[in-house]
Amino acid sequence: PPECVQNGIENLHVSVTGALAGEHTGDLGKSAVISGYLTTKDTDDWERPFLLQANAVELIDEVNVDIENYAEEIKEFESMYDPVPKIVDERMLPDMYAPEGSKLRMLKLAVLLQACSPPRLDGKKRGDIHIFACGDPSTGKTAVAELADKIVPRSEMVSTRVTGVGLTAAGVHDELTGWTIKSGGIVRANNGILIIDELDKINNSHIDDLHYPMDAQRVSAAVADQSATFPAETSVL
């Protein structure tokens, strides 16, 4: 999975055939467990890349959390008149001093509300909350961003080296599959949060590529004979 990759990108091509092909076409951007057998594929090159022939595809629910594991805590918070201050003070970076009225405490509260925002309201209106945190260096912004990445079930954190296509979608070519479209950060964080650290150091043109996906909540991409529309009901921090 992308969140577990070390030192770059690790890819394995998967071949899905028969009745299984097309079954999950509408589930773009979701993670899955794929069972099958490993083989190799002929190419024009001397190297024979590995290929996974899929026998089964099982989607992973990355968004919903089993609340039974937190039943006692939920009961405690429900009994309180206003549990939000307690959550902010005791569960969100308690070692970082953030007194009432401080900018750091306001940011922690904003991120808590963002993490709880719904993807849709009434099935039509966008429910995602976007946050822009601006302040001096070493004031806790990155620490809060890393906390958001940790507590939100589905999140993607990027920084200064990200590009516009890395944020949205990109065309990728290789000898095995030809042209394919690879989802970017805002798609991989669908139904979660895309966290962009040090936004001021990223090229403005790359940031401009986010305007349409943030508005339309989808990413459309086309390259060669491939085209796809990815869901992007994503909060941006």
Side-chain angles (χ1 to χ4, degrees):
E3 65 272 16
C4 300
V5 171
Q6 301 293 325
N7 300 321
I9 299 173
E10 298 173 4
N11 290 319
L12 176 64
H13 289 289
V14 178
S15 176
V16 182
T17 58
L20 198 59
E23 181 177 340
H24 299 290
T25 300
D27 299 310
L28 289 168
K30 294 187 177 180
S31 293
V33 173
I34 301 177
S35 304
Y37 62 88
L38 200 62
T39 181
T40 58
K41 182 71 175 178
D42 283 326
T43 65
D44 294 335
D45 200 352
W46 65 272
E47 186 178 6
R48 294 171 62 91
F50 284 112
L51 179 71
L52 182 66
Q53 182 64 49
N55 290 332
V57 178
E58 178 185 357
L59 297 183
I60 300 173
D61 186 352
E62 298 177 287
V63 179
N64 296 310
V65 176
D66 185 0
I67 62 173
E68 293 300 323
N69 294 330
Y70 307 94
E72 291 298 323
E73 291 179 273
I74 293 172
K75 188 175 180 180
E76 175 190 351
F77 287 130
E78 284 180 339
S79 67
M80 300 173 62
Y81 172 72
D82 183 8
V84 173
K86 182 178 179 69
I87 296 173
V88 172
D89 292 334
E90 297 183 9
R91 300 302 179 89
M92 301 182 70
L93 305 174
D95 295 336
M96 294 184 66
Y97 181 61
E100 187 75 31
S102 66
K103 293 181 180 179
L104 178 58
R105 197 174 193 280
M106 186 182 299
L107 177 58
K108 291 200 288 185
L109 174 59
V111 168
L112 175 62
L113 296 176
Q114 182 185 46
C116 298
S117 65
R120 287 282 179 179
L121 299 174
D122 302 325
K124 298 178 181 178
K125 299 177 183 177
R126 187 180 69 204
D128 304 315
I129 296 174
H130 301 310
I131 296 176
F132 175 63
C134 182
D136 294 329
S138 301
T139 53
K141 299 188 301 299
T142 297
V144 175
E146 290 174 344
L147 174 66
D149 187 34
K150 180 180 179 181
I151 64 176
V152 176
R154 192 170 196 187
S155 63
E156 182 88 4
M157 189 167 182
V158 299
S159 191
T160 54
R161 297 180 63 183
V162 71
T163 62
V165 293
L167 290 168
T168 55
V172 180
H173 182 270
D174 62 53
E175 291 186 5
L176 183 62
T177 56
W179 283 101
T180 56
I181 298 174
K182 177 184 174 185
S183 59
I186 198 169
V187 175
R188 293 195 296 271
N190 178 50
N191 286 328
I193 294 182
L194 171 64
I195 304 155
I196 308 174
D197 194 24
E198 299 193 57
L199 182 75
D200 58 308
K201 296 181 177 64
I202 300 174
N203 190 294
N204 286 340
S205 65
H206 300 326
I207 299 301
D208 289 344
D209 290 341
L210 279 178
H211 291 173
Y212 178 78
M214 290 174 68
D215 176 34
Q217 296 201 298
R218 64 181 182 271
V219 172
S220 298
V223 57
D225 60 342
Q226 302 289 321
S227 63
T229 299
F230 299 94
E233 295 182 15
T234 308
S235 296
V236 178
L237 169 60

